[in-house]
Amino acid sequence: MTKRTEQQEIDQIGEGILTAKLAKYVVNPLENDFGLDFTVNLTETDGKDSYQNVEGDHFFIQLKSSNRFDKDTDSVYTDLEVRHLEQYLKQPIPVILSIYDHNQSEIYWRVIQEFVWDILSDRTPNWRSQQTVRIRIPRSQKITNYDRLETAVNRTQNRINRDKNRTLSIGEGVAFSPTDFTELEKQKENDRLQYRGHTLLLAKQQFESGDKDAARQSIAEIVNANYDDEATVKALFIQILMRNLADGEDAIEIVELANEAKSVAKDLDMDTDQQIATIYKHVGGLFVILEKRSEMLANDLFQSTIESDLLENKIIQESISHDLLVGELEAISEINSALSEMLDSNEYYAYAVCLSPIIDYLSHRRFLHINRQTMDFDKSPDEIETPKSIQTIEGISDQTHSIVEQAEQLADYITDRETEFNLRKSIGLYYYNSIKPEKADQFLTEAYNIVKNNENRRLSEDTKSILEDIKKRKNPYDYSTYDTSSDTNVTDLTKQALEMQGFDIDLESPPESNEYDDSLDYELDLMAHQAVTDADPEDYYRHCEHLHLAYNPSPVGERLGIVSFGSKYLWCQHGGLMNGLDLDETFERFHTTYCDGCEQHCPRSDDWELTEAYANEQANDPDFVKAMNQFENSLMPEYSRSSDNQ
């Protein structure tokens, strides 16, 4: 990893100290898109319970960090571009300039609007003709002087509100000119943009804090308006980010949202946003194609275990695969074109933002490719070897994709922490699916370190969970390494293992036959759903100490490495044997037939826990095995048993 520059390290330290010094408030980082670094909500402490109650008042912070100041000087300073000052003056809430003095580990502040209104405009009336403006802050104005800070914020907010509500005085405006109406329309448009921009920031904060419903409501307020502007495009992008590319239905919605964002951006001459929308549109399309390829892989697996017209199926699959390949090539061409236009326009930040979803696609594509190459349908399950590295897989290159290499370089230099996080997380998952656990651990750890102290708890917890899972299971293609004795729920592990192999499982909504054109696809998805539902047998074992349970995976289940994908057996020496595909339904029949009124019934305590060793011991009980064999032999056709005896 390339070493960070000294200024980047100082910037990061400054951000941490600012957050610590303002810990009594709610501080959230912002993207560079808005030209501001943080938004801060004022709070008041409940004297009774010492809880912080969030007030409605809030403000923005622009943070500058430096180690150039002499400790003997009575002020610190920074130069701001005039275009940024003009942008800050348009904000509907106060904007605080904060300067971090690294040598003194102290932060000083000043309200930008008040500085412009009361000092700059009086001292330098033509300041708007300059390129930059120097702003000085006295060292006496420390960020920890909370009373002074809150007073200035409230004072500035009142002035902003008065300016917005100012109306014509009596006697003024008797004669209007066209210019008057033009200026009035400009002010109306400016106020609308400010409000929608504020709503957009609010939606982003709500989404990052995990309140998706509130975020959707805020976004809907912008998108459903009867006019389109820059806020409309940004709102559509947030809607895209609220969805999961790897989910088939979400990917389709992302394509639609990106197409709408592209159209609005084109009408508004927002060239860069148009390119970003183009990339999301086609990356979404690639994920839709990827899901279709996953379905084809599952179909191949199923077809290999049943008696069917394999030649006819192969012809159909090859025809579909050709159409998908054409779609992939068209999408990749559009993505490359959009990326090239960004580089030609020197839009490096936008370029970096777009790399993450592209790498996510490359990562999922690699996972599917390796899974397909390592499944030899002519071998029995115990003959299939788990790949230990890319080099062991025929036809798959070990070379890292050039996009990933570019992202590694950009992640070391980009100053926006959110974009850096997205890049490092995507790179880490790419290396994980490339069976490079050390590099995966490196990048995902770096990603987690960026957000672990962030207000966005959802993001930090999700990243930590991914990192822990990867540490436990270094090879994503070795399904035997799932530790069912760990604290992780075996049902969740089974669901994850099946989803990683192309199944889409919703435990609250079982597959319905009328939703499928192909009955084989329906049967396969139904078996997968049942496999997850039946994955944890602990509650059944608690019913009685004499109960024995065994999974009998189907050929598909064996190839998938999922023991609950198939039939289940229940047996008791005081009762008998019962078999079925649905464990709960099988247990109900077993209970009705053998357990009601049984004098040998011996239930376990509620705190009894199942171990893998105990489950194996019960499943391999000689009497239980004998009963299962007798049952299976009874199902064999008479001619087969005669043939076996010859």
Side-chain angles (χ1 to χ4, degrees), residues 537 539-541 543 546-552 567-573 575-580 582-591 594-595 624 627-628 631:
D539 287 342
Y540 300 101
Y541 276 110
H543 171 69
H546 303 299
L547 182 67
H548 290 55
L549 185 151
Y551 292 110
N552 182 33
S567 62
K568 294 89 186 176
Y569 284 97
L570 296 175
W571 176 79
C572 171
Q573 63 267 42
L577 184 79
M578 200 71 72
N579 167 271
D582 184 326
L583 183 55
D584 190 60
E585 183 273 334
T586 303
F587 176 76
E588 289 300 323
R589 288 191 289 114
F590 183 91
H591 184 276
Y594 300 119
C595 299
F624 184 19
M628 287 189 290
F631 175 80

Side-chain angles (χ1 to χ4, degrees), residues 254-317:
I254 286 172
V255 172
E256 295 171 349
L257 290 167
N259 200 43
E260 184 178 353
K262 179 181 178 182
S263 176
V264 176
K266 182 178 180 181
D267 292 341
L268 298 173
D269 295 325
M270 300 170 63
D271 295 337
T272 301
D273 293 83
Q274 188 178 341
Q275 302 307 328
I276 294 174
T278 297
I279 289 173
Y280 267 104
K281 172 186 175 181
H282 292 290
V283 170
L286 288 173
F287 269 96
V288 173
I289 292 174
L290 207 57
E291 179 168 278
K292 185 61 181 178
R293 290 195 178 278
S294 296
E295 293 173 358
M296 292 172 63
L297 175 61
N299 182 271
D300 286 344
L301 186 62
F302 190 55
Q303 292 287 345
S304 69
T305 62
I306 63 174
E307 293 183 5
S308 63
D309 191 341
L310 294 178
L311 178 59
E312 180 182 356
N313 178 71
K314 184 176 181 180
I315 293 173
I316 295 174
Q317 294 288 75

Side-chain angles (χ1 to χ4, degrees), residues 306-404:
I306 63 174
E307 293 183 5
S308 63
D309 191 341
L310 294 178
L311 178 59
E312 180 182 356
N313 178 71
K314 184 176 181 180
I315 293 173
I316 295 174
Q317 294 288 75
E318 286 181 351
S319 176
I320 296 174
S321 182
H322 176 267
D323 293 340
L324 295 180
L325 178 60
V326 172
E328 285 172 334
L329 293 175
E330 291 176 351
I332 291 171
S333 175
E334 292 291 336
I335 290 171
N336 285 334
S337 177
L339 290 174
S340 296
E341 289 191 32
M342 285 182 181
L343 292 178
D344 291 342
S345 303
N346 296 324
E347 295 289 349
Y348 300 116
Y349 172 73
Y351 183 86
V353 167
C354 291
L355 291 188
S356 182
I358 295 173
I359 294 172
D360 288 342
Y361 164 73
L362 295 174
S363 178
H364 282 76
R365 185 73 171 87
R366 169 153 285 202
F367 177 84
L368 182 66
H369 192 187
I370 294 175
N371 250 346
R372 182 66 181 83
Q373 294 299 106
T374 55
M375 287 186 179
D376 188 340
F377 300 121
D378 296 326
K379 292 183 179 181
S380 62
D382 57 350
E383 293 178 317
I384 299 177
E385 297 182 2
T386 298
K388 300 298 187 294
S389 67
I390 295 294
Q391 290 94 329
T392 65
I393 307 170
E394 183 179 355
I396 299 182
S397 172
D398 184 42
Q399 185 175 356
T400 302
H401 197 284
S402 59
I403 286 288
V404 179

